[in-house]
Coordinates of all heavy atoms in Angstrom, one line a residue:
A27 N -12.1 5.1 13.4 CA -11.8 6.5 13.9 C -10.9 6.4 15.1 O -9.9 7.2 15.2 CB -13.1 7.1 14.3
R28 N -11.1 5.5 16.0 CA -10.3 5.4 17.3 C -8.9 5.1 17.0 O -8.0 5.6 17.6 CB -10.9 4.4 18.2 CG -10.2 4.3 19.5 CD -11.0 3.6 20.7 NE -12.3 3.2 20.3 CZ -12.7 1.9 20.5 NH1 -11.9 1.0 20.8 NH2 -13.9 1.6 20.2
H29 N -8.6 4.2 16.0 CA -7.3 3.8 15.7 C -6.6 4.6 14.6 O -5.4 4.3 14.2 CB -7.3 2.3 15.4 CG -7.6 1.4 16.6 ND1 -6.7 1.1 17.5 CD2 -8.8 0.9 16.9 CE1 -7.3 0.4 18.5 NE2 -8.5 0.2 18.1
G30 N -7.3 5.6 14.1 CA -6.6 6.5 13.1 C -6.3 5.8 11.8 O -5.4 6.3 11.1
C31 N -7.0 4.8 11.4 CA -6.7 4.1 10.1 C -6.8 5.1 9.0 O -6.1 5.0 8.0 CB -7.7 3.0 9.9 SG -8.0 1.9 11.3
G32 N -7.7 6.1 9.1 CA -8.0 7.0 8.0 C -6.9 8.0 7.8 O -6.9 8.7 6.8
T33 N -5.9 8.1 8.8 CA -4.8 9.0 8.6 C -3.9 8.4 7.5 O -3.1 9.2 6.9 CB -4.0 9.3 9.9 OG1 -3.5 8.0 10.3 CG2 -4.9 9.9 10.9
C34 N -3.9 7.1 7.3 CA -3.0 6.5 6.3 C -3.8 5.8 5.2 O -3.1 5.4 4.2 CB -2.2 5.4 7.0 SG -0.9 6.0 8.1
H35 N -5.1 5.7 5.3 CA -5.8 5.0 4.2 C -7.1 5.7 3.8 O -7.7 6.4 4.6 CB -6.3 3.6 4.7 CG -5.2 2.6 5.0 ND1 -4.5 2.0 4.1 CD2 -4.7 2.2 6.2 CE1 -3.6 1.2 4.6 NE2 -3.7 1.3 5.9
V36 N -7.4 5.6 2.5 CA -8.7 6.0 2.0 C -9.7 4.8 2.3 O -9.4 3.7 1.9 CB -8.7 6.2 0.5 CG1 -10.1 6.4 -0.1 CG2 -7.8 7.4 0.1
I37 N -10.7 5.1 3.1 CA -11.7 4.0 3.5 C -13.1 4.5 3.1 O -13.6 5.5 3.7 CB -11.5 3.7 5.0 CG1 -10.1 3.4 5.3 CG2 -12.4 2.5 5.4 CD1 -9.8 3.2 6.8
P38 N -13.8 3.7 2.3 CA -15.1 4.1 1.9 C -16.1 4.1 3.1 O -16.0 3.3 4.0 CB -15.6 3.0 0.9 CG -14.4 2.1 0.7 CD -13.3 2.5 1.7
G39 N -16.9 5.1 3.1 CA -17.9 5.2 4.2 C -17.4 5.8 5.5 O -18.2 5.9 6.4
V40 N -16.2 6.2 5.5 CA -15.6 6.8 6.7 C -15.2 8.3 6.3 O -14.1 8.5 5.7 CB -14.4 6.0 7.2 CG1 -13.9 6.7 8.5 CG2 -14.8 4.6 7.5
P41 N -16.0 9.3 6.8 CA -15.6 10.7 6.4 C -14.2 11.0 7.0 O -13.9 10.7 8.1 CB -16.7 11.5 7.2 CG -17.8 10.5 7.4 CD -17.2 9.1 7.5
G42 N -13.5 11.7 6.1 CA -12.1 12.1 6.6 C -11.1 11.0 6.4 O -9.9 11.3 6.7
A43 N -11.4 9.8 6.1 CA -10.4 8.8 5.9 C -9.9 8.9 4.5 O -10.4 8.3 3.5 CB -11.0 7.4 6.1
D44 N -8.8 9.8 4.4 CA -8.3 10.1 3.1 C -6.8 10.0 3.0 O -6.1 10.7 2.2 CB -8.8 11.4 2.6 CG -8.4 12.6 3.6 OD1 -7.7 12.3 4.6 OD2 -8.8 13.7 3.3
G45 N -6.2 9.3 4.0 CA -4.7 9.2 4.0 C -4.1 8.5 2.8 O -4.8 7.6 2.2
R46 N -2.9 8.8 2.5 CA -2.2 8.2 1.3 C -0.9 7.5 1.7 O -0.1 7.2 0.8 CB -2.0 9.3 0.2 CG -3.3 9.7 -0.5 CD -3.8 8.6 -1.4 NE -5.0 9.0 -2.1 CZ -5.6 8.2 -2.9 NH1 -5.2 6.9 -3.1 NH2 -6.7 8.6 -3.5
T47 N -0.6 7.4 3.0 CA 0.6 6.7 3.4 C 0.5 5.3 3.0 O 1.5 4.7 2.5 CB 0.8 6.9 4.9 OG1 0.9 8.3 5.2 CG2 2.1 6.2 5.4
G48 N -0.7 4.7 3.2 CA -0.9 3.3 2.9 C -1.8 3.2 1.6 O -2.3 4.2 1.2
P49 N -2.0 2.0 1.1 CA -2.9 1.9 -0.1 C -4.3 2.2 0.3 O -4.7 2.0 1.4 CB -2.7 0.4 -0.5 CG -2.2 -0.3 0.7 CD -1.5 0.7 1.6
P50 N -5.1 2.6 -0.7 CA -6.5 2.8 -0.5 C -7.2 1.5 -0.2 O -6.9 0.5 -0.9 CB -7.0 3.5 -1.8 CG -6.0 3.2 -2.8 CD -4.7 3.0 -2.1
L51 N -8.1 1.5 0.7 CA -8.8 0.2 1.1 C -10.2 0.2 0.5 O -11.2 -0.2 1.1 CB -8.9 0.1 2.6 CG -7.5 0.2 3.3 CD1 -7.7 0.1 4.8 CD2 -6.5 -0.8 2.8
D52 N -10.3 0.7 -0.8 CA -11.7 0.8 -1.4 C -12.1 -0.3 -2.2 O -13.2 -0.3 -2.8 CB -11.7 2.2 -2.2 CG -10.6 2.2 -3.3 OD1 -9.8 1.3 -3.3 OD2 -10.6 3.2 -4.0
A53 N -11.3 -1.3 -2.4 CA -11.7 -2.5 -3.2 C -11.2 -3.8 -2.6 O -10.8 -4.7 -3.3 CB -11.2 -2.3 -4.6
M54 N -11.2 -3.9 -1.2 CA -10.7 -5.0 -0.6 C -11.4 -6.3 -0.9 O -10.8 -7.4 -0.9 CB -10.7 -4.9 1.0 CG -9.6 -3.9 1.5 SD -7.9 -4.2 0.9 CE -7.6 -5.8 1.6
A55 N -12.7 -6.2 -1.3 CA -13.5 -7.4 -1.7 C -12.9 -8.0 -2.9 O -13.0 -9.2 -3.2 CB -14.9 -7.1 -1.8
R56 N -12.3 -7.2 -3.8 CA -11.9 -7.7 -5.1 C -10.4 -8.1 -5.1 O -9.9 -8.6 -6.1 CB -12.2 -6.7 -6.2 CG -13.6 -6.8 -6.7 CD -14.0 -5.7 -7.7 NE -14.3 -4.5 -6.9 CZ -14.1 -3.3 -7.4 NH1 -13.5 -3.1 -8.5 NH2 -14.5 -2.3 -6.7
Q57 N -9.7 -7.7 -4.0 CA -8.3 -8.0 -4.0 C -8.0 -9.5 -3.8 O -8.7 -10.1 -3.0 CB -7.6 -7.2 -2.9 CG -6.6 -6.2 -3.5 CD -6.1 -5.2 -2.4 OE1 -6.5 -4.1 -2.3 NE2 -5.2 -5.8 -1.6
V58 N -7.0 -10.0 -4.4 CA -6.7 -11.4 -4.3 C -5.8 -11.7 -3.0 O -6.0 -12.7 -2.3 CB -6.0 -12.0 -5.5 CG1 -5.7 -13.5 -5.4 CG2 -7.0 -11.8 -6.7

Side-chain angles (χ1 to χ4, degrees):
R28 180 161 3 120
H29 291 280
C31 314
T33 61
C34 290
H35 294 288
V36 170
I37 306 175
V40 181
D44 59 1
R46 287 289 180 182
T47 302
L51 306 179
D52 57 355
M54 285 311 297
R56 276 175 279 147
Q57 245 174 256
V58 177

